Amino acid sequence: MARRIDDSARLRSTGPLGDLSDFPDWFAEHARRAYTKVERVGLDELDGWVTDPATGDLRHHTGRFFTVHGVEVEHPGAPVPRWTQPIILQPEIGILGLLVSRIDGVLHALVQAKVEPGNANGLQVSPTVQATRSNYTRVHRGRAVPYVEHFLDAHRRPGVLADVRQSEQGSWFHRKRNRNMVVELPEPVEAREGHRWLTIGQIHELLGREDVVNMDMRTVLSCLPFTGPGTDADDDPDPFRRALRRSGDPAADSLHTMEEILGWITDRRAGEDLTVGRIPLDALTGWTRDKDRIRHDDGAFFDVIGVRVEAGGREVRHWYQPMIAPAGRGVIAFLVRRIEGVLHVLVHARVEPGFTDVVELGPTVQCVPESYAGLPDGSLPRFLDTVLDADPGAVRYDTVLSEEGGRFHRALNRYLVVEAPDGQDTASPAHRWVTLHQLSELLRHSHYVNVQARSLIACLHSLYHAG
Amino acid sequence: MARRIDDSARLRSTGPLGDLSDFPDWFAEHARRAYTKVERVGLDELDGWVTDPATGDLRHHTGRFFTVHGVEVEHPGAPVPRWTQPIILQPEIGILGLLVSRIDGVLHALVQAKVEPGNANGLQVSPTVQATRSNYTRVHRGRAVPYVEHFLDAHRRPGVLADVRQSEQGSWFHRKRNRNMVVELPEPVEAREGHRWLTIGQIHELLGREDVVNMDMRTVLSCLPFTGPGTDADDDPDPFRRALRRSGDPAADSLHTMEEILGWITDRRAGEDLTVGRIPLDALTGWTRDKDRIRHDDGAFFDVIGVRVEAGGREVRHWYQPMIAPAGRGVIAFLVRRIEGVLHVLVHARVEPGFTDVVELGPTVQCVPESYAGLPDGSLPRFLDTVLDADPGAVRYDTVLSEEGGRFHRALNRYLVVEAPDGQDTASPAHRWVTLHQLSELLRHSHYVNVQARSLIACLHSLYHAG
């Protein structure tokens, strides 16, 4: 078959963890050189942005970048069968690109220390290139995007390990997709200012630190074809890690065949009667715009706010933009279980209004518990209590990470990987146990795995190195 | 991997062609029992249908079935960068279901002799079940759909060989998808009136006859995992058929890897700046509604017409509906080429306004030549002349087939498979040579291969039996 076995085998030879002792200094040095100052401003004070007089939609005066408009969602049979909400329309497909290369036989990736206005902590570890189309076609009239030339027309050259459009937050974006690309170079290129070569093992270690590795890096990492447990997987003394490594093996036993998983996804997609229609932003019900923000009347979900950003680096720039500020901290978790010695993860066939194709596979649990305050008892998502009440020994990963800081203001979520208690009933029409190899097969295509699940997949891979 | 090798191996054992000598009598008998009488009526005389006073959209008074509305398409850089047109909105996902079973070791399928009002010839060979959701939930208040129980909740049972939503005509339908399903039964069920078990070989022979096998049957057949050339492929004395059989082999050499094909599709999809917006039907430009039809001012593309249908069978029913009547006969063709002894087909990354995801792989050529009359010289699609001027010995398949008769009135197209002349330059950013196995891998997923290409894939498979 078409899977590039050679590359996969190469990729897992990520070598020793490597020394990260100078990383904090490097990071702190860049935090001094590159920073953003973010100031809240009223929605009418967003220089360059206009409120459309006919619709109330917030858009840039050039018509570019993105627009905040409204949607009306009808989902008969769901706990909330009908609602309206603001949503971001950003039809341009950007590039999240990672350059990798083997240095002394060990796979390295060229990462970037990048500031984004929404980051709680300023700087984060990002992929080599993270650029909207406006960025790299220079609508900003800023500097050219370094290294972008390796990703334009990449499909004409050898070395492309992944190149697939993937969705982003379907509750906040209307059909947003970014192109997730990994390109392998025969020789590493020079790391320019703000960039640095790290081993995959080092990046995995950073994934265990709070809010260091950004969302774009996590989603690109999830699309790397990390298949194959290596010949030594059976020798691994740690039974969890052994099951994890076997989970990436194409030959490992899975509870369901790929045909069954695909048929189940078809069934969920064909069965959901979801209608999402664009409406004017000033036609929302249950949301109120005042001078500072657009806010849900219960204080739930998120606000649309305005900010003035000053970004410093080699040159100082400033701009204004709307952002989405979530109402609370989310819980994003995979339940996992060793089945016949192979780790399986419990995915949830989720409906989000901004998905291109109705349903994508998400984490077992993905919610902001605060947003359920106004809803009847029993509305909280299934398995949330299993995750939150888990025995500490069953929690394999538990780190606060943030969503994309270019559009979301301090969108921090708690990401967890939790072993399901023995004997717990997990039968559910909307959930299935799948292996990491099966997820990797789905990730070759668009619209199967949502961005939160992709983050968790990267976190799971990072546990290869834990222990 | 997840491909069900056992099933695939079984499926190709389609056995001898079988005797079709009594087929014409069986077919004629059913044509007497089941018929439609179709009468053109004015758009204002469509009983049960209303013209929305605010938009001019044509819709059923219940809001069900389908709606004809308008779209405005912007496609910068294309030969026609902006246009408006009527389009059918039918959000319900119907079922095209085929039951198969081995009888004396030979794979058979349960086909149906089905009448549709748009058929030029009345009766056609259809899959076991061909039902809109309105049909099988009995909005029509008609009889229950026979055999539909085998396809509802099929993913919970063994025997599902294919279950995938696929697009239909993206120039006439707005994001229409039907669920293509093949379910294998351990024992054949009894054929009820109008149904009959045929071998796959017999169906393939019927595919060579003019306008006998309907579109729904062709698309379901294309989703059957017909992989593997069989151990005797290399012994086949016919070099074309040998190359054809090798083309379905997962191990056969292909010009491009699957990763390269997927990367190319990502690149085409990310690069197309297509915007499709719904507009009122009475806001079209270049189209005129009179009492009989909605028509393009140049007489090009298609008309929207009204019909009164009387359908006879065990009971007589009648209804009214709008239909699309194409302006001319289309040419739908694959160029094929033997590359290193493996047949490759030249697919075209097409943009159609009704596609869910911008681009799907279509035939090498897909057009209605008459619709280019008003356009500048040089607008005709590439490779059309190669197909039409081909040496007769290079034409491997050439049969007139029709599109779906439930919505389209006498939509006949000429389907061709033509060997590309040696040495012809086929380099094109929008075309790629792929094997049948690669197409089969793509057909496990939605939105990769358009309905015309799927028909041609079924026609190509039928050439296994030619000779």
Side-chain angles (χ1 to χ4, degrees):
Chain A
M1 234 299 292
R3 166 69 65 189
R4 298 162 59 145
I5 301 292
D6 287 354
D7 292 327
S8 309
R10 258 189 279 151
L11 283 168
R12 60 161 300 284
S13 66
T14 52
L17 199 60
D19 181 21
L20 275 169
S21 57
D22 69 335
F23 180 84
D25 283 347
W26 176 76
F27 213 56
E29 167 68 16
H30 283 281
R32 273 187 299 276
R33 290 201 215 163
Y35 65 89
T36 56
K37 282 202 309 217
V38 179
E39 193 187 332
R40 288 280 301 265
V41 298
L43 293 175
D44 291 330
E45 299 163 44
L46 291 172
D47 211 28
W49 292 78
V50 292
T51 297
D52 187 289
T55 60
D57 293 355
L58 274 171
R59 57 181 172 77
H60 196 257
H61 74 97
T62 61
R64 303 202 68 154
F65 305 114
F66 62 93
T67 299
V68 183
H69 66 74
V71 285
E72 176 172 51
V73 185
E74 301 204 39
H75 190 198
V80 181
R82 190 190 161 285
W83 74 91
T84 63
Q85 66 164 82
I87 204 160
I88 297 176
L89 177 70
Q90 184 175 338
E92 287 184 1
I93 296 178
I95 291 176
L96 310 180
L98 188 67
L99 288 178
V100 299
S101 192
R102 280 173 294 165
I103 303 175
D104 297 332
V106 177
L107 194 74
H108 284 64
L110 184 61
V111 307
Q112 182 183 9
K114 190 166 170 59
V115 288
E116 292 284 7
N119 292 355
N121 57 358
L123 211 61
Q124 294 185 348
V125 170
S126 312
T128 320
V129 166
Q130 178 181 322
T132 63
R133 196 154 158 184
S134 302
N135 282 146
Y136 65 79
T137 56
R138 308 189 63 178
V139 174
H140 290 287
R141 296 189 200 82
R143 289 170 267 156
V145 176
Y147 305 108
V148 75
E149 66 276 13
H150 295 281
F151 299 96
L152 303 176
D153 282 329
H155 72 285
R156 299 179 199 279
R157 298 191 297 271
V160 178
L161 302 185
D163 183 2
V164 60
R165 293 160 315 136
Q166 298 290 5
S167 69
E168 296 191 1
Q169 287 76 6
S171 297
W172 298 338
F173 279 123
H174 189 59
R175 300 199 168 154
K176 166 95 181 282
R177 277 86 58 91
N178 267 326
R179 193 165 170 179
N180 287 238
M181 302 182 75
V182 182
V183 171
E184 184 175 11
L185 299 176
E187 297 292 332
V189 291
E190 190 190 350
R192 298 165 63 162
E193 184 188 320
H195 285 78
R196 177 179 173 156
W197 287 96
L198 293 178
T199 70
I200 299 294
Q202 288 173 325
I203 297 168
H204 282 165
E205 192 194 322
L206 294 174
L207 260 173
R209 301 188 188 179
E210 183 161 320
D211 202 17
V212 170
V213 176
N214 84 350
M215 183 195 88
D216 307 78
M217 185 71 181
R218 301 192 305 265
T219 171
V220 176
L221 282 176
S222 78
C223 295
L224 250 179
F226 266 118
T227 63
T231 50
D232 55 347
D234 287 343
D235 301 334
D236 198 314
D238 182 274
F240 177 83
R241 211 167 48 209
R242 200 159 61 229
L244 171 64
R245 295 173 70 179
R246 282 184 184 146
S247 187
D249 186 351
D253 283 335
S254 53
L255 191 59
H256 303 288
T257 65
M258 199 67 185
E259 255 43 47
E260 287 166 354
I261 298 297
L262 291 173
W264 168 66
I265 295 171
T266 296
D267 193 70
R268 299 303 302 182
R269 286 178 161 167
E272 294 288 0
D273 253 337
L274 185 78
T275 315
V276 180
R278 179 170 176 168
I279 59 172
L281 192 59
D282 59 17
L284 300 181
T285 51
W287 295 77
T288 305
R289 175 172 172 165
D290 62 25
K291 74 179 178 44
D292 288 326
R293 57 185 178 176
I294 300 168
R295 178 177 177 275
H296 190 262
D297 294 344
D298 297 336
F301 311 118
F302 58 86
D303 294 352
V304 178
I305 63 170
V307 293
R308 179 189 189 279
V309 184
E310 181 179 305
R314 280 188 302 186
E315 59 191 57
V316 177
R317 295 181 302 135
H318 70 268
W319 69 88
Y320 293 79
Q321 69 171 87
M323 296 194 95
I324 279 186
R329 178 168 296 192
V331 175
I332 292 174
F334 268 150
L335 284 182
V336 300
R337 178 172 275 170
R338 291 173 243 170
I339 301 175
E340 306 284 336
V342 177
L343 199 76
H344 284 63
V345 307
L346 190 62
V347 292
H348 178 209
R350 282 179 64 83
V351 175
E352 297 182 14
F355 285 158
T356 299
D357 201 8
V358 189
V359 164
E360 295 191 13
L361 303 186
T364 319
V365 172
Q366 173 187 322
C367 69
V368 178
E370 285 88 334
S371 286
Y372 290 79
L375 295 177
D377 283 354
S379 299
L380 278 170
R382 194 162 168 204
F383 304 118
L384 176 63
D385 52 355
T386 310
V387 167
L388 296 182
D389 303 341
D391 182 270
V395 178
R396 295 288 175 169
Y397 183 91
D398 183 359
T399 303
V400 171
L401 302 170
S402 64
E403 309 308 303
E404 210 263 313
R407 298 289 171 268
F408 309 129
H409 189 256
R410 308 205 167 177
L412 291 161
N413 289 307
R414 184 175 168 201
Y415 281 81
L416 298 113
V417 174
V418 174
E419 288 205 88
D422 284 341
Q424 168 158 22
D425 176 20
T426 59
S428 148
H431 290 80
R432 284 292 181 280
W433 288 107
V434 300
T435 65
L436 280 178
H437 174 68
Q438 291 177 324
L439 288 170
S440 181
E441 282 294 304
L442 293 174
L443 281 168
R444 299 168 72 197
H445 308 280
S446 299
H447 312 145
Y448 276 125
V449 184
N450 83 351
V451 65
Q452 292 86 354
R454 296 200 305 277
S455 271
L456 280 172
I457 290 168
C459 299
L460 262 169
H461 283 305
S462 80
L463 301 178
Y464 280 136
H465 296 286
Chain B
M1 235 299 292
R3 166 69 66 189
R4 299 161 59 145
I5 301 293
D6 287 353
D7 292 328
S8 308
R10 258 189 278 151
L11 282 170
R12 60 161 299 284
S13 65
T14 52
L17 199 62
D19 181 21
L20 274 169
S21 57
D22 69 334
F23 181 83
D25 282 347
W26 175 76
F27 214 55
E29 168 68 16
H30 282 281
R32 274 189 297 275
R33 289 200 217 164
Y35 65 89
T36 56
K37 281 201 310 214
V38 179
E39 194 186 331
R40 288 281 300 267
V41 298
L43 293 174
D44 291 330
E45 298 163 44
L46 291 172
D47 212 27
W49 292 78
V50 292
T51 296
D52 187 289
T55 59
D57 293 356
L58 274 170
R59 57 179 171 77
H60 196 256
H61 74 97
T62 60
R64 302 203 68 154
F65 306 114
F66 62 94
T67 299
V68 183
H69 66 74
V71 284
E72 178 172 51
V73 184
E74 302 204 38
H75 190 197
V80 181
R82 188 187 164 285
W83 74 92
T84 63
Q85 65 164 83
I87 205 160
I88 297 176
L89 177 70
Q90 184 175 337
E92 287 184 0
I93 296 178
I95 291 176
L96 310 180
L98 188 67
L99 288 178
V100 300
S101 192
R102 279 172 295 163
I103 304 176
D104 297 331
V106 177
L107 194 74
H108 285 65
L110 184 61
V111 307
Q112 182 184 9
K114 191 165 168 59
V115 289
E116 292 284 7
N119 292 356
N121 56 358
L123 211 61
Q124 295 185 347
V125 171
S126 312
T128 319
V129 166
Q130 178 181 321
T132 63
R133 197 154 159 185
S134 302
N135 282 145
Y136 66 77
T137 57
R138 306 188 64 179
V139 173
H140 291 287
R141 295 188 200 83
R143 288 169 266 156
V145 176
Y147 305 108
V148 74
E149 66 276 13
H150 295 282
F151 300 96
L152 304 175
D153 282 329
H155 72 286
R156 298 179 199 281
R157 296 191 297 272
V160 179
L161 302 185
D163 184 1
V164 60
R165 294 160 316 136
Q166 297 290 5
S167 69
E168 296 191 1
Q169 287 75 8
S171 297
W172 298 339
F173 280 122
H174 189 60
R175 300 200 168 153
K176 166 93 181 284
R177 278 86 60 89
N178 267 326
R179 193 164 169 180
N180 287 237
M181 302 181 76
V182 183
V183 172
E184 184 175 11
L185 299 176
E187 297 292 332
V189 291
E190 191 189 350
R192 297 166 64 163
E193 185 188 320
H195 285 79
R196 178 180 172 154
W197 287 97
L198 293 177
T199 69
I200 299 293
Q202 288 173 323
I203 297 168
H204 281 165
E205 192 194 321
L206 294 174
L207 260 174
R209 301 187 187 178
E210 183 161 318
D211 203 16
V212 170
V213 176
N214 84 350
M215 182 196 89
D216 307 77
M217 185 72 181
R218 301 191 307 264
T219 170
V220 176
L221 282 175
S222 78
C223 296
L224 250 179
F226 267 117
T227 62
T231 49
D232 56 347
D234 288 343
D235 301 332
D236 198 314
D238 182 273
F240 177 82
R241 210 168 49 210
R242 200 159 62 229
L244 172 64
R245 295 172 73 179
R246 283 185 183 144
S247 186
D249 186 351
D253 284 335
S254 53
L255 190 60
H256 303 287
T257 65
M258 199 68 186
E259 255 44 46
E260 287 165 355
I261 298 297
L262 292 173
W264 169 64
I265 295 170
T266 296
D267 193 70
R268 300 303 301 182
R269 286 179 161 167
E272 294 288 1
D273 254 337
L274 185 76
T275 315
V276 181
R278 180 171 175 167
I279 60 171
L281 192 59
D282 59 17
L284 300 180
T285 51
W287 296 77
T288 305
R289 175 172 171 165
D290 63 26
K291 74 180 178 43
D292 288 327
R293 58 185 177 177
I294 300 167
R295 178 178 178 275
H296 190 262
D297 295 344
D298 297 335
F301 311 119
F302 59 85
D303 293 353
V304 179
I305 63 170
V307 294
R308 180 188 188 277
V309 184
E310 182 179 305
R314 281 188 302 186
E315 59 191 57
V316 177
R317 295 180 301 135
H318 70 268
W319 70 88
Y320 293 80
Q321 69 170 86
M323 297 194 94
I324 279 185
R329 179 167 294 192
V331 175
I332 292 174
F334 267 151
L335 285 182
V336 300
R337 177 173 276 170
R338 291 173 243 168
I339 301 175
E340 307 284 337
V342 177
L343 199 76
H344 284 63
V345 306
L346 189 62
V347 292
H348 178 209
R350 281 180 65 83
V351 175
E352 296 181 13
F355 285 157
T356 300
D357 201 7
V358 190
V359 165
E360 295 191 14
L361 304 186
T364 320
V365 173
Q366 173 187 323
C367 69
V368 178
E370 284 89 333
S371 287
Y372 290 79
L375 295 178
D377 283 354
S379 300
L380 278 170
R382 192 160 170 206
F383 304 118
L384 176 63
D385 52 354
T386 311
V387 167
L388 296 182
D389 303 341
D391 182 89
V395 178
R396 294 289 175 168
Y397 183 90
D398 183 0
T399 303
V400 171
L401 302 170
S402 64
E403 308 308 303
E404 211 263 313
R407 298 288 172 267
F408 309 130
H409 190 256
R410 308 206 167 178
L412 291 160
N413 289 308
R414 183 176 169 201
Y415 281 82
L416 298 112
V417 175
V418 174
E419 288 204 88
D422 284 342
Q424 168 158 22
D425 177 20
T426 59
S428 148
H431 290 79
R432 283 293 181 281
W433 288 106
V434 300
T435 66
L436 279 178
H437 174 69
Q438 291 177 325
L439 288 170
S440 181
E441 282 294 304
L442 294 174
L443 281 168
R444 299 167 72 197
H445 308 280
S446 299
H447 310 145
Y448 277 125
V449 183
N450 83 351
V451 65
Q452 292 87 352
R454 296 200 305 277
S455 271
L456 281 173
I457 289 167
C459 299
L460 262 170
H461 284 305
S462 80
L463 300 178
Y464 281 137
H465 296 285

